Amino acid sequence: MGFRIGHGFDAHRLGEGRPLMLGGVSIPFERGLLGHSDGDCAIHALCDALLGAAALGDMGRHFPSSEPRWKGAPGRVFLEQVRRLITEAGWAVENLDVTVVAEAPLLSPHCEAMRKAVADGLGLELHRVSVKAKSSDGLGAMGRGEGVAAFAVALLASNE
Ligand code: MG
C-alpha cells in the first residue's frame, strides 16, 4: 500500500460584518474572516493539504476566486469537492491534523465541533481528524488579532 503526505497553509484577515467560520463551524465573535468564500482558513489549509498529498495542485487551481460559483462558498462545499477529487484519484484519507492560530477568540472550546464538522464533510471516522488551536503569544499579525491562520497535514493511503 502506498502513502502520500501533504501540507497546507492559509490565512485570512478579520473584518467587521462577517460571521466567523472556522473548521466548518460558526464561532461567536464580533468579527469574521474576509474572503471570496466564507474565509474558513482551517478548511482551506486542510483542502490544500489533501490536494497536495495527491499532487492535484491547490485550491486556487480547482476553485479560482474568479469563478462566481465559489463566492461565499462554505467550507463543507470545498470538503465535498476535494473528497471527490482525491477519491477519483484512488486515495483514501488515513488521518488529518490541523492547527489554527488565532489570538482571539479562544478556539479550544470549539475544536471538538470543528473535528466533527470536518469528519462529516469528508465522510471520515472522528479518530482520523485532529483540530488544535494555538495563540501566537501576541507576536506578529495573528498576535495583533489582524487575522487567523491555519496549518494542516494530511496522510493519504492508496485504494489500489
Ligand atoms: Mg483561503
Side-chain angles (χ1 to χ4, degrees):
M1 179 187 278
F3 292 95
R4 293 287 187 278
I5 193 165
H7 173 261
F9 166 79
D10 196 26
H12 282 256
R13 198 174 284 276
L14 280 164
E16 310 286 336
R18 297 265 293 186
L20 177 57
M21 296 299 300
L22 277 172
V25 174
S26 175
I27 294 171
F29 194 52
E30 66 267 21
R31 293 178 297 156
L33 293 168
L34 307 175
H36 185 258
S37 65
D38 72 353
D40 189 334
C41 61
I43 299 277
H44 300 173
L46 191 55
C47 287
D48 263 5
L50 289 163
L51 292 170
L56 288 171
D58 61 13
M59 286 194 72
R61 171 172 147 194
H62 294 281
F63 318 112
S65 54
S66 55
E67 277 188 28
R69 66 183 290 211
W70 308 119
K71 184 168 170 54
R76 68 170 182 280
V77 168
F78 297 122
L79 290 179
E80 281 164 17
Q81 295 287 326
V82 169
R83 178 187 185 184
R84 179 182 56 78
L85 287 164
I86 61 173
T87 304
E88 284 173 4
W91 297 103
V93 176
E94 189 65 25
N95 75 299
L96 305 166
D97 188 21
V98 187
T99 300
V100 187
V101 183
E103 201 64 22
L106 185 66
L107 294 176
S108 51
H110 304 283
C111 284
E112 205 55 28
M114 290 192 252
R115 279 183 79 201
K116 291 195 177 95
V118 168
D120 283 352
L122 290 168
L124 296 173
E125 303 111 308
L126 195 57
H127 70 84
R128 297 186 187 277
V129 180
S130 162
V131 177
K132 312 190 299 297
K134 301 284 281 185
S135 80
S136 61
D137 201 21
L139 294 168
M142 304 311 150
R144 292 190 295 272
E146 295 172 14
V148 178
F151 302 85
V153 288
L155 186 67
L156 300 181
S158 172
N159 270 331
E160 274 112 57

mmCIF file with all atom_site columns, all heavy atoms in Angstrom, residues 35-53:
data_model
loop_
_atom_site.group_PDB
_atom_site.id
_atom_site.type_symbol
_atom_site.label_atom_id
_atom_site.label_alt_id
_atom_site.label_comp_id
_atom_site.label_asym_id
_atom_site.label_entity_id
_atom_site.label_seq_id
_atom_site.pdbx_PDB_ins_code
_atom_site.Cartn_x
_atom_site.Cartn_y
_atom_site.Cartn_z
_atom_site.occupancy
_atom_site.B_iso_or_equiv
_atom_site.pdbx_formal_charge
_atom_site.auth_seq_id
_atom_site.auth_comp_id
_atom_site.auth_asym_id
_atom_site.auth_atom_id
_atom_site.pdbx_PDB_model_num
ATOM 1   N N   . GLY A 1 35 ? -12.970 37.305 2.692  1.00 0.00 ? 35 GLY A N   1
ATOM 2   C CA  . GLY A 1 35 ? -12.513 36.468 1.583  1.00 0.00 ? 35 GLY A CA  1
ATOM 3   C C   . GLY A 1 35 ? -13.612 36.287 0.566  1.00 0.00 ? 35 GLY A C   1
ATOM 4   O O   . GLY A 1 35 ? -14.771 36.629 0.824  1.00 0.00 ? 35 GLY A O   1
ATOM 5   N N   . HIS A 1 36 ? -13.249 35.754 -0.596 1.00 0.00 ? 36 HIS A N   1
ATOM 6   C CA  . HIS A 1 36 ? -14.235 35.494 -1.659 1.00 0.00 ? 36 HIS A CA  1
ATOM 7   C C   . HIS A 1 36 ? -15.213 34.413 -1.222 1.00 0.00 ? 36 HIS A C   1
ATOM 8   O O   . HIS A 1 36 ? -16.401 34.481 -1.490 1.00 0.00 ? 36 HIS A O   1
ATOM 9   C CB  . HIS A 1 36 ? -13.496 35.076 -2.940 1.00 0.00 ? 36 HIS A CB  1
ATOM 10  C CG  . HIS A 1 36 ? -14.396 34.900 -4.112 1.00 0.00 ? 36 HIS A CG  1
ATOM 11  N ND1 . HIS A 1 36 ? -14.799 33.667 -4.555 1.00 0.00 ? 36 HIS A ND1 1
ATOM 12  C CD2 . HIS A 1 36 ? -14.976 35.803 -4.934 1.00 0.00 ? 36 HIS A CD2 1
ATOM 13  C CE1 . HIS A 1 36 ? -15.592 33.826 -5.608 1.00 0.00 ? 36 HIS A CE1 1
ATOM 14  N NE2 . HIS A 1 36 ? -15.715 35.117 -5.848 1.00 0.00 ? 36 HIS A NE2 1
ATOM 15  N N   . SER A 1 37 ? -14.682 33.402 -0.520 1.00 0.00 ? 37 SER A N   1
ATOM 16  C CA  . SER A 1 37 ? -15.537 32.349 0.040  1.00 0.00 ? 37 SER A CA  1
ATOM 17  C C   . SER A 1 37 ? -15.970 32.812 1.427  1.00 0.00 ? 37 SER A C   1
ATOM 18  O O   . SER A 1 37 ? -16.027 34.006 1.702  1.00 0.00 ? 37 SER A O   1
ATOM 19  C CB  . SER A 1 37 ? -14.748 31.039 0.129  1.00 0.00 ? 37 SER A CB  1
ATOM 20  O OG  . SER A 1 37 ? -13.689 31.199 1.060  1.00 0.00 ? 37 SER A OG  1
ATOM 21  N N   . ASP A 1 38 ? -16.253 31.869 2.331  1.00 0.00 ? 38 ASP A N   1
ATOM 22  C CA  . ASP A 1 38 ? -16.619 32.291 3.698  1.00 0.00 ? 38 ASP A CA  1
ATOM 23  C C   . ASP A 1 38 ? -15.386 32.548 4.567  1.00 0.00 ? 38 ASP A C   1
ATOM 24  O O   . ASP A 1 38 ? -15.512 32.830 5.747  1.00 0.00 ? 38 ASP A O   1
ATOM 25  C CB  . ASP A 1 38 ? -17.581 31.285 4.347  1.00 0.00 ? 38 ASP A CB  1
ATOM 26  C CG  . ASP A 1 38 ? -16.906 29.974 4.731  1.00 0.00 ? 38 ASP A CG  1
ATOM 27  O OD1 . ASP A 1 38 ? -15.720 29.776 4.382  1.00 0.00 ? 38 ASP A OD1 1
ATOM 28  O OD2 . ASP A 1 38 ? -17.568 29.144 5.372  1.00 0.00 ? 38 ASP A OD2 1
ATOM 29  N N   . GLY A 1 39 ? -14.169 32.419 3.968  1.00 0.00 ? 39 GLY A N   1
ATOM 30  C CA  . GLY A 1 39 ? -12.934 32.771 4.674  1.00 0.00 ? 39 GLY A CA  1
ATOM 31  C C   . GLY A 1 39 ? -12.433 31.732 5.662  1.00 0.00 ? 39 GLY A C   1
ATOM 32  O O   . GLY A 1 39 ? -11.536 32.028 6.460  1.00 0.00 ? 39 GLY A O   1
ATOM 33  N N   . ASP A 1 40 ? -12.980 30.526 5.600  1.00 0.00 ? 40 ASP A N   1
ATOM 34  C CA  . ASP A 1 40 ? -12.648 29.477 6.581  1.00 0.00 ? 40 ASP A CA  1
ATOM 35  C C   . ASP A 1 40 ? -11.243 28.929 6.312  1.00 0.00 ? 40 ASP A C   1
ATOM 36  O O   . ASP A 1 40 ? -11.057 27.923 5.618  1.00 0.00 ? 40 ASP A O   1
ATOM 37  C CB  . ASP A 1 40 ? -13.700 28.365 6.501  1.00 0.00 ? 40 ASP A CB  1
ATOM 38  C CG  . ASP A 1 40 ? -13.580 27.346 7.621  1.00 0.00 ? 40 ASP A CG  1
ATOM 39  O OD1 . ASP A 1 40 ? -12.467 27.184 8.164  1.00 0.00 ? 40 ASP A OD1 1
ATOM 40  O OD2 . ASP A 1 40 ? -14.594 26.704 7.940  1.00 0.00 ? 40 ASP A OD2 1
ATOM 41  N N   . CYS A 1 41 ? -10.235 29.592 6.912  1.00 0.00 ? 41 CYS A N   1
ATOM 42  C CA  . CYS A 1 41 ? -8.846  29.233 6.603  1.00 0.00 ? 41 CYS A CA  1
ATOM 43  C C   . CYS A 1 41 ? -8.488  27.835 7.095  1.00 0.00 ? 41 CYS A C   1
ATOM 44  O O   . CYS A 1 41 ? -7.580  27.192 6.540  1.00 0.00 ? 41 CYS A O   1
ATOM 45  C CB  . CYS A 1 41 ? -7.878  30.280 7.140  1.00 0.00 ? 41 CYS A CB  1
ATOM 46  S SG  . CYS A 1 41 ? -7.929  30.491 8.912  1.00 0.00 ? 41 CYS A SG  1
ATOM 47  N N   . ALA A 1 42 ? -9.174  27.326 8.113  1.00 0.00 ? 42 ALA A N   1
ATOM 48  C CA  . ALA A 1 42 ? -8.885  25.968 8.594  1.00 0.00 ? 42 ALA A CA  1
ATOM 49  C C   . ALA A 1 42 ? -9.240  24.942 7.523  1.00 0.00 ? 42 ALA A C   1
ATOM 50  O O   . ALA A 1 42 ? -8.458  24.035 7.209  1.00 0.00 ? 42 ALA A O   1
ATOM 51  C CB  . ALA A 1 42 ? -9.647  25.686 9.885  1.00 0.00 ? 42 ALA A CB  1
ATOM 52  N N   . ILE A 1 43 ? -10.424 25.109 6.936  1.00 0.00 ? 43 ILE A N   1
ATOM 53  C CA  . ILE A 1 43 ? -10.843 24.191 5.865  1.00 0.00 ? 43 ILE A CA  1
ATOM 54  C C   . ILE A 1 43 ? -9.960  24.376 4.632  1.00 0.00 ? 43 ILE A C   1
ATOM 55  O O   . ILE A 1 43 ? -9.598  23.394 3.967  1.00 0.00 ? 43 ILE A O   1
ATOM 56  C CB  . ILE A 1 43 ? -12.324 24.438 5.485  1.00 0.00 ? 43 ILE A CB  1
ATOM 57  C CG1 . ILE A 1 43 ? -13.231 24.186 6.698  1.00 0.00 ? 43 ILE A CG1 1
ATOM 58  C CG2 . ILE A 1 43 ? -12.735 23.598 4.285  1.00 0.00 ? 43 ILE A CG2 1
ATOM 59  C CD1 . ILE A 1 43 ? -13.615 22.788 6.967  1.00 0.00 ? 43 ILE A CD1 1
ATOM 60  N N   . HIS A 1 44 ? -9.601  25.620 4.333  1.00 0.00 ? 44 HIS A N   1
ATOM 61  C CA  . HIS A 1 44 ? -8.786  25.867 3.139  1.00 0.00 ? 44 HIS A CA  1
ATOM 62  C C   . HIS A 1 44 ? -7.400  25.236 3.288  1.00 0.00 ? 44 HIS A C   1
ATOM 63  O O   . HIS A 1 44 ? -6.882  24.635 2.343  1.00 0.00 ? 44 HIS A O   1
ATOM 64  C CB  . HIS A 1 44 ? -8.660  27.368 2.871  1.00 0.00 ? 44 HIS A CB  1
ATOM 65  C CG  . HIS A 1 44 ? -9.981  28.045 2.636  1.00 0.00 ? 44 HIS A CG  1
ATOM 66  N ND1 . HIS A 1 44 ? -10.124 29.411 2.524  1.00 0.00 ? 44 HIS A ND1 1
ATOM 67  C CD2 . HIS A 1 44 ? -11.234 27.532 2.498  1.00 0.00 ? 44 HIS A CD2 1
ATOM 68  C CE1 . HIS A 1 44 ? -11.400 29.704 2.332  1.00 0.00 ? 44 HIS A CE1 1
ATOM 69  N NE2 . HIS A 1 44 ? -12.092 28.584 2.322  1.00 0.00 ? 44 HIS A NE2 1
ATOM 70  N N   . ALA A 1 45 ? -6.791  25.351 4.468  1.00 0.00 ? 45 ALA A N   1
ATOM 71  C CA  . ALA A 1 45 ? -5.486  24.727 4.703  1.00 0.00 ? 45 ALA A CA  1
ATOM 72  C C   . ALA A 1 45 ? -5.605  23.209 4.580  1.00 0.00 ? 45 ALA A C   1
ATOM 73  O O   . ALA A 1 45 ? -4.747  22.545 3.982  1.00 0.00 ? 45 ALA A O   1
ATOM 74  C CB  . ALA A 1 45 ? -4.959  25.114 6.081  1.00 0.00 ? 45 ALA A CB  1
ATOM 75  N N   . LEU A 1 46 ? -6.683  22.679 5.121  1.00 0.00 ? 46 LEU A N   1
ATOM 76  C CA  . LEU A 1 46 ? -6.926  21.235 5.063  1.00 0.00 ? 46 LEU A CA  1
ATOM 77  C C   . LEU A 1 46 ? -7.094  20.760 3.624  1.00 0.00 ? 46 LEU A C   1
ATOM 78  O O   . LEU A 1 46 ? -6.525  19.730 3.222  1.00 0.00 ? 46 LEU A O   1
ATOM 79  C CB  . LEU A 1 46 ? -8.193  20.959 5.865  1.00 0.00 ? 46 LEU A CB  1
ATOM 80  C CG  . LEU A 1 46 ? -8.568  19.548 6.197  1.00 0.00 ? 46 LEU A CG  1
ATOM 81  C CD1 . LEU A 1 46 ? -7.420  18.879 6.919  1.00 0.00 ? 46 LEU A CD1 1
ATOM 82  C CD2 . LEU A 1 46 ? -9.797  19.567 7.077  1.00 0.00 ? 46 LEU A CD2 1
ATOM 83  N N   . CYS A 1 47 ? -7.869  21.498 2.841  1.00 0.00 ? 47 CYS A N   1
ATOM 84  C CA  . CYS A 1 47 ? -8.083  21.123 1.434  1.00 0.00 ? 47 CYS A CA  1
ATOM 85  C C   . CYS A 1 47 ? -6.767  21.163 0.663  1.00 0.00 ? 47 CYS A C   1
ATOM 86  O O   . CYS A 1 47 ? -6.492  20.282 -0.156 1.00 0.00 ? 47 CYS A O   1
ATOM 87  C CB  . CYS A 1 47 ? -9.104  22.047 0.777  1.00 0.00 ? 47 CYS A CB  1
ATOM 88  S SG  . CYS A 1 47 ? -10.796 21.748 1.330  1.00 0.00 ? 47 CYS A SG  1
ATOM 89  N N   . ASP A 1 48 ? -5.930  22.167 0.935  1.00 0.00 ? 48 ASP A N   1
ATOM 90  C CA  . ASP A 1 48 ? -4.635  22.241 0.257  1.00 0.00 ? 48 ASP A CA  1
ATOM 91  C C   . ASP A 1 48 ? -3.732  21.082 0.673  1.00 0.00 ? 48 ASP A C   1
ATOM 92  O O   . ASP A 1 48 ? -2.962  20.566 -0.144 1.00 0.00 ? 48 ASP A O   1
ATOM 93  C CB  . ASP A 1 48 ? -3.945  23.576 0.555  1.00 0.00 ? 48 ASP A CB  1
ATOM 94  C CG  . ASP A 1 48 ? -4.172  24.598 -0.546 1.00 0.00 ? 48 ASP A CG  1
ATOM 95  O OD1 . ASP A 1 48 ? -4.944  24.298 -1.496 1.00 0.00 ? 48 ASP A OD1 1
ATOM 96  O OD2 . ASP A 1 48 ? -3.581  25.688 -0.476 1.00 0.00 ? 48 ASP A OD2 1
ATOM 97  N N   . ALA A 1 49 ? -3.802  20.660 1.927  1.00 0.00 ? 49 ALA A N   1
ATOM 98  C CA  . ALA A 1 49 ? -3.013  19.507 2.380  1.00 0.00 ? 49 ALA A CA  1
ATOM 99  C C   . ALA A 1 49 ? -3.461  18.237 1.650  1.00 0.00 ? 49 ALA A C   1
ATOM 100 O O   . ALA A 1 49 ? -2.634  17.441 1.196  1.00 0.00 ? 49 ALA A O   1
ATOM 101 C CB  . ALA A 1 49 ? -3.152  19.334 3.894  1.00 0.00 ? 49 ALA A CB  1
ATOM 102 N N   . LEU A 1 50 ? -4.772  18.064 1.516  1.00 0.00 ? 50 LEU A N   1
ATOM 103 C CA  . LEU A 1 50 ? -5.306  16.878 0.829  1.00 0.00 ? 50 LEU A CA  1
ATOM 104 C C   . LEU A 1 50 ? -4.947  16.890 -0.651 1.00 0.00 ? 50 LEU A C   1
ATOM 105 O O   . LEU A 1 50 ? -4.506  15.878 -1.205 1.00 0.00 ? 50 LEU A O   1
ATOM 106 C CB  . LEU A 1 50 ? -6.832  16.821 1.001  1.00 0.00 ? 50 LEU A CB  1
ATOM 107 C CG  . LEU A 1 50 ? -7.311  16.476 2.406  1.00 0.00 ? 50 LEU A CG  1
ATOM 108 C CD1 . LEU A 1 50 ? -8.784  16.839 2.583  1.00 0.00 ? 50 LEU A CD1 1
ATOM 109 C CD2 . LEU A 1 50 ? -7.111  14.982 2.676  1.00 0.00 ? 50 LEU A CD2 1
ATOM 110 N N   . LEU A 1 51 ? -5.126  18.048 -1.295 1.00 0.00 ? 51 LEU A N   1
ATOM 111 C CA  . LEU A 1 51 ? -4.787  18.160 -2.719 1.00 0.00 ? 51 LEU A CA  1
ATOM 112 C C   . LEU A 1 51 ? -3.286  17.974 -2.919 1.00 0.00 ? 51 LEU A C   1
ATOM 113 O O   . LEU A 1 51 ? -2.850  17.317 -3.868 1.00 0.00 ? 51 LEU A O   1
ATOM 114 C CB  . LEU A 1 51 ? -5.230  19.522 -3.265 1.00 0.00 ? 51 LEU A CB  1
ATOM 115 C CG  . LEU A 1 51 ? -6.746  19.738 -3.354 1.00 0.00 ? 51 LEU A CG  1
ATOM 116 C CD1 . LEU A 1 51 ? -7.060  21.204 -3.666 1.00 0.00 ? 51 LEU A CD1 1
ATOM 117 C CD2 . LEU A 1 51 ? -7.377  18.825 -4.413 1.00 0.00 ? 51 LEU A CD2 1
ATOM 118 N N   . GLY A 1 52 ? -2.496  18.555 -2.012 1.00 0.00 ? 52 GLY A N   1
ATOM 119 C CA  . GLY A 1 52 ? -1.048  18.431 -2.116 1.00 0.00 ? 52 GLY A CA  1
ATOM 120 C C   . GLY A 1 52 ? -0.587  16.988 -1.968 1.00 0.00 ? 52 GLY A C   1
ATOM 121 O O   . GLY A 1 52 ? 0.302   16.529 -2.695 1.00 0.00 ? 52 GLY A O   1
ATOM 122 N N   . ALA A 1 53 ? -1.193  16.260 -1.040 1.00 0.00 ? 53 ALA A N   1
ATOM 123 C CA  . ALA A 1 53 ? -0.813  14.860 -0.832 1.00 0.00 ? 53 ALA A CA  1
ATOM 124 C C   . ALA A 1 53 ? -1.069  14.032 -2.093 1.00 0.00 ? 53 ALA A C   1
ATOM 125 O O   . ALA A 1 53 ? -0.315  13.124 -2.416 1.00 0.00 ? 53 ALA A O   1
ATOM 126 C CB  . ALA A 1 53 ? -1.586  14.277 0.351  1.00 0.00 ? 53 ALA A CB  1
#
